[in-house]
């Protein structure tokens, strides 16, 4: 066994200490304190000390290769996981599952030395994309980057604003620590809450005093969805922030920061969701798809709700994160479904490659240090890097008033994640959740800069679940038969009987594994042909790129061939990701080099 550093929590920051045991006592609330220099050979997560405490984690049943979901032993099949009584609650996607992307990719488009002003429109996406895009900018970039960040959910829009305000008002290292936990932890430390109150509440008070509710609503009704509010740029910060959120949203943010929720109630509300008996089978299937050495890290997060290395003490995290819960009239609820996980949207391969210095089997520890490094880089970049202007808005991406009145500029990139699918309510165009391809191209395609200004201006759209619209199942019987020989090369060997617990586990395992190898390219081609992508784009002066130059066509697909070096390892890693393997990214550009934005009538 080799020496390994373990994590010690100090004043809200985490540092590696190679000599301190990473085990904790009192359900993770206190550090062990024993000295150790050896990595436990069983779990490869912690220093081997204080064995009586560590043994229950190290020898847990879920860490064994032959651990099976409960329903396999019961002789049944996984149940449907629909929450009774919860289907009418519209839970926002606080994290989402789409892979974080850099929507500029200057080195493959305008060029790494490009230094003209850039306009990017994040129509309805996760703040991961903003972080990755800003971090990708060259240090030599001399232009101004303008990012319009919109989301229809007030929960996500307020978090977008809060993250930017924390990033600009705190030291970069401290801001990174606060933002990571604000983003992914259910509980925060008292010092984190106090820091946000000190720096952000005066700003909210100034704006609520400066702008009345009536003025705010009149301003938005007139089509002015964003204005520069009463925000004083801190010294040493090289970015500007505009936010056009409704008056009620700012009032709500102030209330969230000043009203402390009961921790015991928060624990119970979250447990009601993530440990709901009707998703028990499905959650166990998720664990079964993970490598055994990763399961302890994932399980630990589910129980303590704090994103941290496996050996970190979380005693100081005793204040409820207000961004994780939604207030009701007399109570509050956990603001996500039971399957949401911090790993959603991040590549496990990227996490495994990150040089954290800690044990690679500590999946959430890797994620924590990866995120903290990325967020700290982001905070430093917006303070001392190129000139950046952020505009935070909250309105439906399919709201015609938004595209008609708000966006008067032309953009180099428009990212409209998932809004190009057919509308959920085609008979009600007044408030659709998505528009469908023709109207999406009508509204957003005309906002791209003309080719004479920037030939690389691109509209980026993602498509999911198109296979469900073309057929009832993702894989036909014939396709499953074609995939089985490939699965054998990844150690999926059919047991002698499919009626044993091992046989039932095998049947469910090959379903998920088969999705990694499913012919989604053929299914999307069917969808493309049915909805006439190229013709619809050409009719509007656009063309569909044959080769994407910004985002991979298939961000989450498994691409290695059977027998290729490292294929088995990457296959298992991909299987553990809660990713949309069918997600297809389509890029559109202007086809006419002379025309600029031309709005079509509704």
């Amino acid at each position: 066994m080799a020496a390994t550093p373990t994590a010690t929590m100090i004043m809200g920051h985490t540092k590696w200490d190679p000599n301190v045991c990473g085990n904790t006592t009192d359900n993770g609330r206190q550090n062990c304190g024993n000295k150790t220099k050896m990595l436990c050979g069983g779990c490869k997560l912690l220093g081997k000390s204080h064995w009586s405490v560590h043994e229950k984690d190290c020898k847990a049943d879920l860490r064994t290769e032959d651990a099976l979901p409960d329903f396999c032993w019961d002789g049944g099949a996984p149940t449907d996981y629909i929450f009774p009584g919860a289907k009418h609650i519209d839970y926002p996607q606080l994290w989402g599952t789409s892979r974080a992307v850099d929507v500029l990719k200057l080195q493959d488009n305008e060029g790494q030395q490009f230094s003209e002003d850039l306009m990017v429109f994040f129509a309805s996406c996760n703040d991961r994309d903003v972080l990755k895009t800003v971090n990708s900018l060259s240090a030599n970039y001399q232009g101004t980057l303008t990012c319009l960040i919109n989301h229809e959910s007030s929960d996500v829009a307020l978090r977008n604003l809060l993250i930017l305000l924390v990033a600009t008002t705190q030291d970069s290292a401290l801001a990174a620590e606060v933002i990571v936990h604000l983003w992914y932890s259910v509980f925060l430390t008292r010092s984190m809450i106090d820091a946000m109150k000190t720096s952000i509440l005066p700003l909210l008070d100034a704006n609520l005093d400066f702008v009345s509710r009536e003025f705010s609503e009149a301003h938005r009704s007139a089509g002015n969805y964003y204005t520069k509010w009463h925000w004083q740029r801190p010294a040493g910060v090289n970015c500007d922030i505009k936010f056009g959120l409704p008056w009620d949203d700012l009032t709500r943010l102030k209330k969230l920061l000043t009203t402390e929720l009961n921790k015991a109630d928060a624990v119970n509300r979250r447990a009601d969701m993530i440990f709901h008996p009707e998703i028990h089978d499905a959650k166990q299937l998720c664990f079964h798809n993970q490598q055994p050495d990763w399961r302890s890290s994932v399980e630990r997060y589910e129980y303590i709700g704090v994103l941290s290395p496996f050996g970190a003490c979380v005693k100081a995290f005793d204040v409820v994160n207000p961004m994780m819960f939604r207030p009701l009239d007399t109570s509050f609820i956990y603001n996500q479904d039971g399957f949401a996980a911090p790993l959603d949207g991040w590549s496990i391969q990227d996490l495994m490659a990150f040089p954290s210095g800690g044990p690679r089997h500590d999946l959430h520890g890797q994620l924590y240090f990866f995120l903290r490094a990325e967020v700290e880089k982001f905070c430093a970049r917006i303070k001392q890097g190129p000139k950046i202007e952020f505009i935070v808005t909250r309105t439906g991406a399919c709201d015609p008033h938004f595209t008609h009145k708000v966006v008067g500029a032309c953009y180099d990139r428009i990212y409209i994640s998932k809004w190009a699918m057919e509308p959920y309510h085609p008979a009600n165009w007044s408030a659709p959740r998505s528009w469908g391809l023709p109207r999406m191209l009508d509204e957003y395609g005309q906002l791209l800069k003309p080719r004479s200004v920037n030939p690389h201006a691109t509209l980026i759209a993602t498509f999911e679940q198109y296979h469900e619209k073309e057929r009832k199942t993702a894989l036909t019987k014939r396709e499953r038969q074609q995939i089985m020989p490939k699965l054998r090369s990844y150690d999926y060997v059919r047991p002698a009987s499919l009626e044993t617990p091992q046989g039932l586990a095998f049947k469910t395992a090959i379903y998920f594994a088969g999705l990694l190898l499913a012919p989604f390219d053929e299914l999307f081609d069917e969808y493309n042909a049915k909805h006439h992508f190229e013709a619809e784009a050409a009719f509007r002066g656009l063309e569909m790129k044959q080769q994407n130059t910004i985002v991979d066509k298939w961000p989450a697909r498994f691409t290695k061939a059977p027998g290729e070096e490292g294929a088995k390892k990457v296959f298992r890693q991909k299987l553990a990701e809660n990713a949309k393997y069918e997600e297809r990214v389509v890029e559109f550009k202007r086809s006419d080099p002379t025309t600029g934005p031309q709005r079509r009538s509704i």
Side-chain angles (χ1 to χ4, degrees):
M1 295 186 295
T4 181
T6 54
T8 306
M9 218 62 167
I10 299 179
M11 296 298 290
H13 294 272
T14 303
K15 68 177 184 180
W16 289 113
D17 186 337
N19 300 312
V20 177
C21 173
N23 289 302
T24 56
T25 60
D26 188 19
N27 196 26
R29 294 179 59 85
Q30 298 183 38
N31 283 116
C32 163
N34 289 345
K35 300 296 183 180
T36 183
K37 293 185 179 180
M38 307 300 285
L39 177 67
C40 176
C43 65
K44 299 180 178 64
L45 287 172
L46 298 170
K48 189 173 182 179
S49 181
H50 210 148
W51 175 251
S52 61
V53 174
H54 176 54
E55 184 178 14
K56 64 180 182 295
D57 289 321
C58 186
K59 293 190 174 183
D61 290 340
L62 71 126
R63 288 197 58 258
T64 62
E65 284 282 359
D66 57 355
L68 303 178
D70 290 342
F71 69 83
C72 294
W73 300 102
D74 298 335
T79 59
D80 293 331
Y81 37 87
I82 298 176
F83 296 172
K87 59 184 178 182
H88 300 298
I89 300 176
D90 184 19
Y91 292 102
Q93 292 291 330
L94 295 183
W95 296 329
T97 56
S98 293
R99 188 65 51 83
V101 297
D102 165 21
V103 302
L104 286 177
K105 249 347 180 19
L106 290 182
Q107 68 274 18
D108 296 332
N109 294 275
E110 288 86 350
Q112 194 65 43
Q113 302 305 315
F114 184 83
S115 285
E116 297 180 22
D117 293 348
L118 289 166
M119 300 277 291
V120 180
F121 183 7
F122 297 92
S124 182
C125 63
N126 200 287
D127 27 21
R128 291 189 301 261
D129 306 312
V130 180
L131 180 143
K132 194 159 186 177
T133 299
V134 170
N135 283 355
S136 73
L137 276 179
S138 167
N140 298 322
Y141 177 70
Q142 300 298 315
T144 297
L145 172 65
T146 300
C147 297
L148 173 56
I149 308 168
N150 178 71
H151 203 283
E152 67 170 357
S153 165
S154 63
D155 303 277
V156 177
L158 288 177
R159 187 186 64 191
N160 290 342
L161 175 61
L162 193 55
I163 286 175
L164 290 175
L165 293 178
V166 170
T168 54
T169 57
Q170 305 291 335
D171 170 77
S172 294
L174 175 60
E177 184 77 21
V178 173
I179 290 171
V180 167
H181 290 295
L182 186 68
W183 208 348
Y184 286 110
S185 292
V186 183
F187 305 103
L188 306 175
T189 66
R190 177 69 58 184
S191 61
M192 293 176 184
I193 291 290
D194 290 343
M196 288 189 288
K197 286 181 178 180
T198 301
S199 59
I200 295 172
L201 281 182
L203 169 66
L204 295 178
D205 287 335
N207 279 289
L208 292 172
D209 292 340
F210 179 70
V211 179
S212 67
R213 181 203 298 266
E214 293 75 14
F215 178 84
S216 172
E217 294 306 316
H219 210 55
R220 289 172 62 83
S221 297
N224 299 317
Y225 278 69
Y226 62 83
T227 57
K228 184 171 182 179
W229 288 55
H230 197 65
W231 184 73
Q232 187 69 34
R233 181 193 301 175
V237 174
N238 196 31
C239 77
D240 202 1
I241 300 175
K242 300 178 183 179
F243 46 103
L245 302 178
W247 192 88
D248 287 342
D249 281 3
L250 296 182
T251 303
R252 181 185 171 207
L253 180 57
K254 178 181 178 180
K255 185 176 181 180
L256 289 174
L257 291 176
T258 55
T259 303
E260 190 168 317
L261 302 178
N262 182 277
K263 183 177 180 180
D265 288 344
V267 170
N268 291 333
R269 299 291 187 276
R270 179 171 178 263
D272 289 343
M273 189 63 69
I274 66 174
F275 299 124
H276 196 287
E278 293 200 17
I279 65 170
H280 176 74
D281 290 344
K283 292 290 285 288
Q284 287 204 335
L285 279 176
C286 294
F287 271 93
H288 190 245
N289 288 335
Q290 294 169 350
Q291 294 185 28
D293 290 330
W294 293 351
R295 295 171 187 164
S296 294
S297 175
V298 176
E299 183 189 49
R300 178 180 183 269
Y301 176 82
E302 289 206 334
Y303 278 96
I304 70 172
V306 177
L307 183 64
S308 58
F310 196 85
C313 175
V314 297
K315 181 179 181 180
F317 290 82
D318 57 359
V319 183
V320 178
N321 182 351
M323 306 310 295
M324 288 286 188
F325 294 85
R326 178 187 296 184
L328 301 177
D329 292 338
T330 58
S331 182
F332 59 90
I333 58 173
Y334 184 55
N335 211 14
Q336 300 213 76
D337 66 40
F339 292 98
L343 290 165
D344 295 350
W346 299 105
S347 166
I348 290 182
Q349 291 173 269
D350 291 344
L351 301 185
M352 292 295 101
F354 182 73
S356 69
R360 288 291 187 271
H361 295 283
D362 182 6
L363 203 56
H364 280 80
Q366 284 291 113
L367 176 62
Y368 167 79
F369 282 101
F370 171 80
L371 285 177
R372 203 180 68 166
E374 288 294 305
V375 175
E376 187 169 349
K377 178 181 178 181
F378 173 81
C379 295
R381 180 64 60 88
I382 66 176
K383 290 176 181 176
Q384 302 171 357
K387 178 72 171 62
I388 303 177
E389 181 179 67
F390 296 104
I391 304 169
V392 182
T393 62
R394 194 267 288 179
T395 191
C398 300
D399 178 0
H401 297 292
F402 184 53
T403 54
H404 272 254
K405 296 181 179 180
V406 178
V407 191
C410 300
Y411 289 84
D412 299 277
R413 304 286 190 275
I414 301 175
Y415 185 35
I416 60 168
S417 178
K418 303 176 187 176
W419 294 104
M421 298 296 292
E422 297 99 302
Y424 295 118
H425 308 290
N428 180 16
W429 287 104
S430 62
R433 296 281 308 269
S434 61
W435 270 348
L437 180 69
R439 196 167 183 197
M440 181 274 292
L441 295 176
D442 271 345
E443 296 298 326
Y444 288 98
Q446 40 101 25
L447 299 177
L448 282 177
K449 286 183 177 178
R451 289 184 63 177
S452 58
V453 177
N454 184 359
H456 302 282
T458 302
L459 170 63
I460 307 167
T462 61
F463 294 82
E464 295 178 2
Q465 299 176 329
Y466 46 83
H467 59 288
E468 296 177 4
K469 299 179 182 295
E470 304 303 319
R471 54 170 74 175
K472 293 182 179 180
T473 60
L475 297 174
T476 63
K477 181 177 180 180
R478 178 172 173 271
E479 288 167 345
R480 287 196 296 269
Q481 292 173 343
Q482 292 174 339
I483 287 174
M484 279 308 302
K486 297 179 181 179
L487 287 177
R488 295 190 189 100
S489 66
Y490 301 111
D491 299 332
Y492 282 83
V493 180
R494 178 189 174 107
S497 172
L498 294 180
E499 303 306 318
T500 62
Q502 291 76 15
L504 289 173
F506 175 79
K507 287 196 294 185
T508 57
I510 62 172
Y511 170 78
F512 288 100
L515 290 178
L516 275 175
L517 305 176
F520 286 122
D521 47 353
E522 298 175 12
L523 297 177
F524 183 77
D525 287 344
E526 295 176 17
Y527 183 82
N528 179 357
K530 179 179 179 180
H531 294 279
H532 313 291
F533 275 47
E534 293 184 359
E536 293 286 1
F539 181 70
R540 293 158 179 84
L542 302 169
E543 63 181 77
M544 179 178 166
K545 292 184 183 179
Q546 296 305 309
Q547 296 295 328
N548 285 10
T549 61
I550 300 173
V551 183
D552 289 341
K553 286 185 177 181
W554 304 97
R557 284 195 72 180
F558 175 70
T559 56
K560 287 186 175 293
E564 187 177 344
E565 183 179 356
K568 289 184 180 180
K569 180 180 178 180
V570 175
F571 189 88
R572 290 299 302 271
Q573 290 177 347
K574 282 285 187 182
L575 196 60
E577 295 178 351
N578 183 20
K580 299 288 187 181
Y581 306 129
E582 81 275 14
E583 183 179 48
R584 173 66 155 85
V585 177
V586 180
E587 295 181 0
F588 298 92
K589 63 180 181 179
R590 285 196 174 277
S591 56
D592 187 339
T594 60
T595 58
Q598 294 181 356
R599 184 172 299 283
R600 294 170 56 86
S601 60
I602 295 179

